[in-house]
Amino acid sequence: EADIYQTPRYLVIGTGKKITLECSQTMGHDKMYWYQQDPGMELHLIHYSYGVNSTEKGDLSSESTVSRIRTEHFPLTLESARPSHTSQYLCASSGSTSGKETQYFGPGTRLLVL
Amino acid sequence: QQPVQSPQAVILREGEDAVINCSSSKALYSVHWYRQKHGEAPIFLMILLKGGEQKGHDKISASFNEKKQQSSLYLTASQLSYSGTYFCGPKRGGADGLTFGKGTHLIIQP
């Protein structure tokens, strides 16, 4: 059972608001990731981190930003939410054992921007 | 670049077999396979590393041909619980995240 948590699970917010999606894991994993997924569609990597103070942009350009101040915490922030940001956001983490890195996903945050 | 999965969708009767293919235009370090049920987070199935590796779990197995930059997932004698969307996630380097394919929607009917 993976110990990775996301809050909130659902968020409905108006255009222009600043929001932060929380993600935390208790597995001590160095690597963490944010994926964006529209209903029934593929997952797109938008951010990842190798460890504390490390953040990288993923394959899909995103207006969101991330920070990694603590190993267990990888929040994602949208400074000004827009309807185009409506999607599901999945956080994941992975730890390396003998070169095999399994990504464990959190339950996701479903965001609706009105 | 995003890997290409085929087929896009498949409907089977319980007990039938299925093969899901995943190919990449770039050299691969490893391939991850995940299954996602509607409204849930993806669940890890297996990871294959270089060297023509094959793995299996219960009646689900996979192969990885690094020269062809392809991986295939084999579902034998499918069960109703196998329904969901299957994603392959090739990894090009050791540290970056996964670039998932568009997914293959699998529906198992009784």
Side-chain angles (χ1 to χ4, degrees):
Chain A
E1 188 82 13
D3 296 317
I4 180 164
Y5 310 97
Q6 290 185 243
T7 57
R9 291 293 307 279
Y10 303 92
L11 179 62
V12 181
I13 203 162
T15 297
K17 301 291 186 182
K18 177 180 178 179
I19 59 171
T20 296
L21 309 183
E22 302 288 349
C23 174
S24 60
Q25 50 93 8
T26 57
M27 297 174 280
H29 287 166
D30 288 328
K31 301 183 182 71
M32 297 189 72
Y33 314 84
W34 276 103
Y35 292 88
Q36 183 176 343
Q37 184 182 36
D38 291 330
M41 302 297 287
E42 68 265 43
L43 299 105
H44 292 287
L45 179 69
I46 52 175
H47 298 283
Y48 60 99
S49 166
Y50 299 147
V52 172
N53 293 327
S54 152
T55 60
E56 303 286 342
K57 289 191 178 295
D59 297 327
L60 181 68
S61 175
S62 174
E63 294 170 344
S64 59
T65 58
V66 292
S67 62
R68 190 85 182 279
I69 300 173
R70 302 198 315 265
T71 298
E72 63 271 20
H73 197 214
F74 191 39
L76 180 145
T77 299
L78 278 164
E79 290 293 332
S80 180
R82 294 208 300 266
S84 60
H85 296 143
T86 294
S87 188
Q88 176 172 241
Y89 294 84
L90 288 157
C91 179
S93 71
S94 69
S96 179
T97 302
S98 301
K100 299 180 180 180
E101 296 184 14
T102 299
Q103 289 195 11
Y104 296 95
F105 284 84
T109 294
R110 292 183 185 273
L111 173 65
L112 173 60
V113 183
L114 302 174
Chain B
Q1 284 189 349
Q2 189 175 41
V4 177
Q5 283 186 238
S6 63
Q8 290 181 310
V10 58
I11 301 174
L12 298 174
R13 293 275 183 200
E14 195 174 7
E16 293 181 339
D17 302 339
V19 179
I20 300 172
N21 299 303
C22 174
S23 63
S24 173
S25 59
K26 295 191 175 183
L28 303 177
Y29 174 80
S30 63
V31 177
H32 300 226
W33 284 95
Y34 288 79
R35 177 173 62 211
Q36 184 179 32
K37 293 186 179 290
H38 182 70
E40 299 180 7
I43 299 296
F44 171 79
L45 291 177
M46 63 187 75
I47 178 175
L48 299 103
L49 303 180
K50 286 184 175 181
E53 185 180 12
Q54 293 190 7
K55 297 189 79 171
H57 175 70
D58 196 9
K59 293 181 180 178
I60 300 176
S61 62
S63 64
F64 175 37
N65 186 324
E66 63 176 300
K67 289 184 179 179
K68 292 185 177 180
Q69 295 162 193
Q70 292 177 347
S71 179
S72 295
L73 187 72
Y74 307 94
L75 298 100
T76 306
S78 56
Q79 305 168 15
L80 294 175
S81 61
Y82 289 177
S83 291
T85 302
Y86 289 78
F87 293 98
C88 71
K91 201 165 188 181
R92 298 186 299 273
D96 58 8
L98 300 173
T99 301
F100 287 96
K102 290 184 181 293
T104 295
H105 302 280
L106 177 65
I107 298 172
I108 309 295
Q109 296 178 332

